[in-house]
Short mmCIF file of all heavy atoms in Angstrom, two decimals:
data_model
loop_
_atom_site.label_atom_id
_atom_site.label_comp_id
_atom_site.label_asym_id
_atom_site.label_seq_id
_atom_site.Cartn_x
_atom_site.Cartn_y
_atom_site.Cartn_z
N ASP I 1 -4.23 -11.11 -8.72
CA ASP I 1 -5.46 -11.29 -7.93
C ASP I 1 -5.22 -12.12 -6.67
O ASP I 1 -5.91 -13.10 -6.40
CB ASP I 1 -6.55 -11.95 -8.79
CG ASP I 1 -6.89 -11.12 -10.03
OD1 ASP I 1 -6.73 -9.88 -9.98
OD2 ASP I 1 -7.29 -11.72 -11.05
N GLY I 2 -4.24 -11.70 -5.89
CA GLY I 2 -3.86 -12.46 -4.71
C GLY I 2 -4.56 -12.01 -3.44
O GLY I 2 -5.48 -11.19 -3.44
N HIS I 3 -4.12 -12.60 -2.35
CA HIS I 3 -4.49 -12.19 -1.01
C HIS I 3 -3.22 -11.79 -0.28
O HIS I 3 -2.16 -12.42 -0.47
CB HIS I 3 -5.18 -13.32 -0.24
CG HIS I 3 -6.58 -13.61 -0.70
ND1 HIS I 3 -6.86 -14.24 -1.90
CD2 HIS I 3 -7.79 -13.35 -0.13
CE1 HIS I 3 -8.17 -14.34 -2.04
NE2 HIS I 3 -8.75 -13.82 -0.99
N TYR I 4 -3.31 -10.77 0.56
CA TYR I 4 -2.12 -10.25 1.23
C TYR I 4 -2.42 -9.96 2.70
O TYR I 4 -3.58 -9.97 3.13
CB TYR I 4 -1.62 -8.99 0.51
CG TYR I 4 -1.30 -9.24 -0.94
CD1 TYR I 4 -2.14 -8.79 -1.96
CD2 TYR I 4 -0.17 -9.96 -1.30
CE1 TYR I 4 -1.87 -9.05 -3.29
CE2 TYR I 4 0.13 -10.23 -2.64
CZ TYR I 4 -0.73 -9.77 -3.62
OH TYR I 4 -0.46 -10.04 -4.94
N PHE I 5 -1.36 -9.72 3.45
CA PHE I 5 -1.48 -9.37 4.86
C PHE I 5 -1.50 -7.85 4.99
O PHE I 5 -0.52 -7.18 4.64
CB PHE I 5 -0.29 -9.93 5.65
CG PHE I 5 -0.19 -11.43 5.64
CD1 PHE I 5 0.71 -12.07 4.81
CD2 PHE I 5 -1.00 -12.20 6.46
CE1 PHE I 5 0.82 -13.45 4.80
CE2 PHE I 5 -0.90 -13.59 6.46
CZ PHE I 5 0.01 -14.22 5.63
N HIS I 6 -2.61 -7.31 5.47
CA HIS I 6 -2.73 -5.87 5.69
C HIS I 6 -2.85 -5.64 7.19
O HIS I 6 -3.87 -5.94 7.80
CB HIS I 6 -3.95 -5.31 4.96
CG HIS I 6 -4.06 -3.83 5.06
ND1 HIS I 6 -5.24 -3.15 4.86
CD2 HIS I 6 -3.14 -2.86 5.36
CE1 HIS I 6 -5.05 -1.85 5.01
NE2 HIS I 6 -3.78 -1.66 5.33
N ASN I 7 -1.76 -5.15 7.77
CA ASN I 7 -1.70 -4.94 9.23
C ASN I 7 -2.13 -6.19 9.99
O ASN I 7 -2.87 -6.13 10.97
CB ASN I 7 -2.55 -3.73 9.63
CG ASN I 7 -2.03 -2.44 9.03
OD1 ASN I 7 -0.82 -2.29 8.82
ND2 ASN I 7 -2.92 -1.50 8.74
N GLY I 8 -1.68 -7.34 9.49
CA GLY I 8 -1.92 -8.61 10.15
C GLY I 8 -3.17 -9.34 9.73
O GLY I 8 -3.36 -10.50 10.10
N LYS I 9 -4.04 -8.69 8.97
CA LYS I 9 -5.28 -9.33 8.53
C LYS I 9 -5.18 -9.68 7.05
O LYS I 9 -4.56 -8.97 6.26
CB LYS I 9 -6.47 -8.40 8.77
CG LYS I 9 -6.74 -8.11 10.23
CD LYS I 9 -7.96 -7.21 10.41
CE LYS I 9 -8.23 -6.95 11.88
NZ LYS I 9 -9.41 -6.06 12.08
N VAL I 10 -5.80 -10.80 6.66
CA VAL I 10 -5.77 -11.25 5.28
C VAL I 10 -6.84 -10.50 4.48
O VAL I 10 -8.01 -10.47 4.88
CB VAL I 10 -6.01 -12.77 5.20
CG1 VAL I 10 -6.08 -13.22 3.74
CG2 VAL I 10 -4.90 -13.52 5.94
N VAL I 11 -6.42 -9.91 3.37
CA VAL I 11 -7.35 -9.16 2.52
C VAL I 11 -7.15 -9.58 1.06
O VAL I 11 -6.04 -9.90 0.64
CB VAL I 11 -7.14 -7.63 2.65
CG1 VAL I 11 -7.46 -7.17 4.06
CG2 VAL I 11 -5.72 -7.23 2.27
N PRO I 12 -8.24 -9.57 0.26
CA PRO I 12 -8.11 -9.88 -1.16
C PRO I 12 -7.67 -8.65 -1.94
O PRO I 12 -7.83 -7.51 -1.50
CB PRO I 12 -9.53 -10.30 -1.55
CG PRO I 12 -10.40 -9.50 -0.63
CD PRO I 12 -9.64 -9.37 0.67
N ALA I 13 -7.10 -8.90 -3.12
CA ALA I 13 -6.68 -7.79 -3.98
C ALA I 13 -6.93 -8.18 -5.43
O ALA I 13 -6.94 -9.35 -5.79
CB ALA I 13 -5.21 -7.47 -3.77
N GLU I 14 -7.12 -7.18 -6.27
CA GLU I 14 -7.28 -7.41 -7.69
C GLU I 14 -6.11 -6.79 -8.42
O GLU I 14 -5.67 -5.69 -8.10
CB GLU I 14 -8.59 -6.78 -8.20
CG GLU I 14 -9.84 -7.43 -7.65
CD GLU I 14 -11.11 -6.82 -8.23
OE1 GLU I 14 -10.99 -5.90 -9.08
OE2 GLU I 14 -12.20 -7.25 -7.83
N GLY I 15 -5.62 -7.51 -9.43
CA GLY I 15 -4.57 -6.96 -10.27
C GLY I 15 -3.21 -7.60 -10.04
O GLY I 15 -3.04 -8.52 -9.22
N PHE I 16 -2.23 -7.11 -10.78
CA PHE I 16 -0.86 -7.61 -10.72
C PHE I 16 -0.20 -7.12 -9.43
O PHE I 16 -0.40 -5.98 -9.00
CB PHE I 16 -0.09 -7.09 -11.94
CG PHE I 16 1.31 -7.63 -12.05
CD1 PHE I 16 1.54 -8.99 -12.12
CD2 PHE I 16 2.39 -6.76 -12.09
CE1 PHE I 16 2.85 -9.48 -12.23
CE2 PHE I 16 3.69 -7.23 -12.20
CZ PHE I 16 3.91 -8.60 -12.28
N CYS I 17 0.59 -7.97 -8.82
CA CYS I 17 1.11 -7.69 -7.47
C CYS I 17 1.84 -6.36 -7.37
O CYS I 17 1.65 -5.60 -6.41
CB CYS I 17 2.01 -8.84 -7.01
SG CYS I 17 3.37 -9.27 -8.12
N THR I 18 2.70 -6.04 -8.34
CA THR I 18 3.44 -4.78 -8.28
C THR I 18 2.49 -3.59 -8.27
O THR I 18 2.67 -2.64 -7.50
CB THR I 18 4.42 -4.68 -9.46
OG1 THR I 18 5.35 -5.76 -9.39
CG2 THR I 18 5.17 -3.36 -9.43
N ASP I 19 1.47 -3.65 -9.12
CA ASP I 19 0.49 -2.56 -9.15
C ASP I 19 -0.23 -2.45 -7.81
O ASP I 19 -0.49 -1.34 -7.32
CB ASP I 19 -0.54 -2.82 -10.26
CG ASP I 19 0.08 -2.84 -11.65
OD1 ASP I 19 1.11 -2.16 -11.85
OD2 ASP I 19 -0.47 -3.54 -12.53
N VAL I 20 -0.55 -3.60 -7.21
CA VAL I 20 -1.26 -3.60 -5.92
C VAL I 20 -0.39 -2.93 -4.85
O VAL I 20 -0.88 -2.09 -4.08
CB VAL I 20 -1.62 -5.04 -5.51
CG1 VAL I 20 -2.13 -5.07 -4.06
CG2 VAL I 20 -2.67 -5.62 -6.45
N PHE I 21 0.88 -3.28 -4.79
CA PHE I 21 1.74 -2.73 -3.74
C PHE I 21 1.94 -1.22 -3.92
O PHE I 21 1.93 -0.46 -2.95
CB PHE I 21 3.08 -3.46 -3.71
CG PHE I 21 2.97 -4.93 -3.41
CD1 PHE I 21 3.79 -5.86 -4.03
CD2 PHE I 21 2.02 -5.40 -2.52
CE1 PHE I 21 3.67 -7.21 -3.76
CE2 PHE I 21 1.89 -6.75 -2.23
CZ PHE I 21 2.72 -7.66 -2.85
N PHE I 22 2.12 -0.79 -5.16
CA PHE I 22 2.24 0.65 -5.40
C PHE I 22 0.92 1.37 -5.08
O PHE I 22 0.93 2.47 -4.50
CB PHE I 22 2.64 0.92 -6.85
CG PHE I 22 4.13 1.03 -7.06
CD1 PHE I 22 4.84 -0.03 -7.62
CD2 PHE I 22 4.82 2.16 -6.70
CE1 PHE I 22 6.21 0.06 -7.82
CE2 PHE I 22 6.20 2.27 -6.90
CZ PHE I 22 6.90 1.21 -7.46
N ASP I 23 -0.20 0.78 -5.43
CA ASP I 23 -1.48 1.42 -5.14
C ASP I 23 -1.67 1.60 -3.63
O ASP I 23 -2.16 2.65 -3.17
CB ASP I 23 -2.63 0.60 -5.71
CG ASP I 23 -2.74 0.71 -7.23
OD1 ASP I 23 -2.09 1.60 -7.81
OD2 ASP I 23 -3.48 -0.10 -7.83
N GLN I 24 -1.29 0.58 -2.86
CA GLN I 24 -1.40 0.70 -1.40
C GLN I 24 -0.46 1.77 -0.87
O GLN I 24 -0.81 2.53 0.05
CB GLN I 24 -1.12 -0.65 -0.75
CG GLN I 24 -2.18 -1.70 -1.00
CD GLN I 24 -3.52 -1.32 -0.39
OE1 GLN I 24 -3.59 -0.78 0.71
NE2 GLN I 24 -4.61 -1.62 -1.10
N ALA I 25 0.74 1.85 -1.43
CA ALA I 25 1.68 2.89 -1.00
C ALA I 25 1.15 4.27 -1.33
O ALA I 25 1.29 5.22 -0.53
CB ALA I 25 3.04 2.66 -1.68
N LYS I 26 0.51 4.42 -2.48
CA LYS I 26 -0.05 5.72 -2.86
C LYS I 26 -1.17 6.13 -1.91
O LYS I 26 -1.29 7.32 -1.56
CB LYS I 26 -0.55 5.67 -4.30
CG LYS I 26 0.55 5.57 -5.34
CD LYS I 26 -0.07 5.35 -6.72
CE LYS I 26 0.98 4.98 -7.74
NZ LYS I 26 0.36 4.64 -9.04
N LYS I 27 -2.00 5.18 -1.50
CA LYS I 27 -3.05 5.50 -0.53
C LYS I 27 -2.43 6.01 0.77
O LYS I 27 -2.92 6.97 1.38
CB LYS I 27 -3.90 4.26 -0.25
CG LYS I 27 -4.79 3.83 -1.40
CD LYS I 27 -5.59 2.59 -1.02
CE LYS I 27 -6.46 2.11 -2.18
NZ LYS I 27 -7.19 0.86 -1.83
N PHE I 28 -1.38 5.35 1.19
CA PHE I 28 -0.67 5.76 2.41
C PHE I 28 -0.09 7.16 2.25
O PHE I 28 -0.23 8.02 3.13
CB PHE I 28 0.43 4.74 2.69
CG PHE I 28 1.40 5.12 3.77
CD1 PHE I 28 1.06 5.00 5.10
CD2 PHE I 28 2.67 5.57 3.44
CE1 PHE I 28 1.96 5.34 6.11
CE2 PHE I 28 3.59 5.90 4.43
CZ PHE I 28 3.23 5.80 5.77
N ILE I 29 0.55 7.42 1.12
CA ILE I 29 1.16 8.73 0.87
C ILE I 29 0.08 9.83 0.89
O ILE I 29 0.25 10.89 1.50
CB ILE I 29 1.91 8.72 -0.47
CG1 ILE I 29 3.18 7.85 -0.36
CG2 ILE I 29 2.26 10.13 -0.92
CD1 ILE I 29 3.84 7.56 -1.69
N ARG I 30 -1.03 9.55 0.23
CA ARG I 30 -2.11 10.55 0.18
C ARG I 30 -2.66 10.81 1.59
O ARG I 30 -2.89 11.96 1.98
CB ARG I 30 -3.22 10.06 -0.75
CG ARG I 30 -4.31 11.08 -1.01
CD ARG I 30 -5.36 10.53 -1.96
NE ARG I 30 -4.84 10.32 -3.30
CZ ARG I 30 -4.76 11.26 -4.23
NH1 ARG I 30 -5.14 12.51 -3.95
NH2 ARG I 30 -4.29 10.99 -5.44
N ALA I 31 -2.86 9.73 2.36
CA ALA I 31 -3.43 9.90 3.70
C ALA I 31 -2.50 10.69 4.61
O ALA I 31 -2.94 11.56 5.38
CB ALA I 31 -3.70 8.52 4.31
N GLN I 32 -1.20 10.43 4.54
CA GLN I 32 -0.26 11.16 5.40
C GLN I 32 -0.14 12.61 4.97
O GLN I 32 0.01 13.51 5.81
CB GLN I 32 1.13 10.49 5.38
CG GLN I 32 1.13 9.01 5.75
CD GLN I 32 0.23 8.68 6.91
OE1 GLN I 32 0.29 9.33 7.97
NE2 GLN I 32 -0.62 7.68 6.74
N THR I 33 -0.22 12.86 3.67
CA THR I 33 -0.17 14.24 3.18
C THR I 33 -1.37 15.04 3.71
O THR I 33 -1.23 16.20 4.12
CB THR I 33 -0.14 14.26 1.65
OG1 THR I 33 0.99 13.51 1.19
CG2 THR I 33 -0.04 15.69 1.13
N GLU I 34 -2.53 14.41 3.70
CA GLU I 34 -3.73 15.09 4.21
C GLU I 34 -3.60 15.41 5.69
O GLU I 34 -4.13 16.41 6.18
CB GLU I 34 -4.97 14.22 3.94
CG GLU I 34 -5.33 14.13 2.47
CD GLU I 34 -6.44 13.14 2.19
OE1 GLU I 34 -6.86 12.44 3.15
OE2 GLU I 34 -6.88 13.04 1.02
N LYS I 35 -2.87 14.56 6.42
CA LYS I 35 -2.65 14.79 7.86
C LYS I 35 -1.47 15.73 8.12
O LYS I 35 -1.21 16.06 9.27
CB LYS I 35 -2.36 13.46 8.55
CG LYS I 35 -3.48 12.45 8.51
CD LYS I 35 -3.01 11.15 9.16
CE LYS I 35 -4.03 10.05 9.05
NZ LYS I 35 -3.51 8.77 9.59
N LYS I 36 -0.75 16.10 7.03
CA LYS I 36 0.48 16.88 7.16
C LYS I 36 1.50 16.15 8.04
O LYS I 36 2.18 16.74 8.88
CB LYS I 36 0.19 18.29 7.71
CG LYS I 36 -0.77 19.09 6.85
CD LYS I 36 -0.90 20.51 7.32
CE LYS I 36 -1.92 21.30 6.49
NZ LYS I 36 -1.66 21.26 5.04
N GLN I 37 1.59 14.86 7.81
CA GLN I 37 2.46 13.99 8.58
C GLN I 37 3.64 13.56 7.72
O GLN I 37 3.46 13.04 6.61
CB GLN I 37 1.67 12.74 9.01
CG GLN I 37 2.48 11.64 9.66
CD GLN I 37 2.53 11.82 11.16
OE1 GLN I 37 1.79 12.63 11.71
NE2 GLN I 37 3.41 11.10 11.82
N PRO I 38 4.87 13.79 8.17
CA PRO I 38 6.01 13.26 7.40
C PRO I 38 5.96 11.74 7.37
O PRO I 38 5.47 11.11 8.31
CB PRO I 38 7.23 13.77 8.16
CG PRO I 38 6.75 14.00 9.55
CD PRO I 38 5.31 14.42 9.43
N PHE I 39 6.46 11.15 6.29
CA PHE I 39 6.31 9.71 6.15
C PHE I 39 7.52 9.07 5.48
O PHE I 39 8.29 9.71 4.76
CB PHE I 39 5.05 9.37 5.34
CG PHE I 39 5.07 9.89 3.92
CD1 PHE I 39 5.73 9.21 2.90
CD2 PHE I 39 4.41 11.07 3.59
CE1 PHE I 39 5.75 9.69 1.60
CE2 PHE I 39 4.41 11.57 2.29
CZ PHE I 39 5.10 10.87 1.29
N LEU I 40 7.66 7.79 5.77
CA LEU I 40 8.55 6.88 5.04
C LEU I 40 7.65 5.86 4.36
O LEU I 40 6.92 5.12 5.02
CB LEU I 40 9.51 6.16 5.98
CG LEU I 40 10.21 4.91 5.41
CD1 LEU I 40 11.17 5.28 4.29
CD2 LEU I 40 10.93 4.13 6.52
N ALA I 41 7.68 5.81 3.03
CA ALA I 41 6.99 4.78 2.26
C ALA I 41 8.06 3.84 1.71
O ALA I 41 8.76 4.17 0.75
CB ALA I 41 6.17 5.39 1.15
N TYR I 42 8.23 2.71 2.37
CA TYR I 42 9.23 1.70 1.98
C TYR I 42 8.52 0.70 1.06
O TYR I 42 7.74 -0.13 1.51
CB TYR I 42 9.79 1.04 3.23
CG TYR I 42 10.72 -0.13 3.00
CD1 TYR I 42 11.89 0.01 2.25
CD2 TYR I 42 10.45 -1.38 3.57
CE1 TYR I 42 12.74 -1.05 2.05
CE2 TYR I 42 11.32 -2.45 3.40
CZ TYR I 42 12.45 -2.28 2.63
OH TYR I 42 13.30 -3.36 2.46
N ILE I 43 8.78 0.83 -0.24
CA ILE I 43 8.12 0.02 -1.26
C ILE I 43 9.12 -1.02 -1.74
O ILE I 43 10.00 -0.74 -2.56
CB ILE I 43 7.60 0.88 -2.42
CG1 ILE I 43 6.75 2.04 -1.88
CG2 ILE I 43 6.82 0.03 -3.41
CD1 ILE I 43 6.37 3.07 -2.95
N ALA I 44 9.01 -2.21 -1.18
CA ALA I 44 9.97 -3.29 -1.45
C ALA I 44 9.26 -4.35 -2.29
O ALA I 44 8.40 -5.07 -1.80
CB ALA I 44 10.47 -3.88 -0.13
N LEU I 45 9.63 -4.43 -3.54
CA LEU I 45 8.88 -5.26 -4.49
C LEU I 45 9.44 -6.68 -4.57
O LEU I 45 10.64 -6.89 -4.39
CB LEU I 45 8.92 -4.61 -5.87
CG LEU I 45 8.44 -3.15 -5.90
CD1 LEU I 45 8.68 -2.55 -7.28
CD2 LEU I 45 6.96 -3.07 -5.52
N ASN I 46 8.57 -7.64 -4.89
CA ASN I 46 9.04 -8.98 -5.18
C ASN I 46 9.44 -9.13 -6.65
O ASN I 46 10.16 -10.08 -7.00
CB ASN I 46 7.96 -10.01 -4.85
CG ASN I 46 6.69 -9.78 -5.66
OD1 ASN I 46 6.05 -8.74 -5.54
ND2 ASN I 46 6.31 -10.74 -6.49
#
């Protein structure tokens, strides 16, 4: 249940950090797929 930097802004999050980072990566993957945009999702865990 931490706070993180999202594109430079501080945002709250719920849940375990690893789950949060993967969930954000999945949102990114889904959004780029809808745009038919090739992507790099660099998921670097603590």
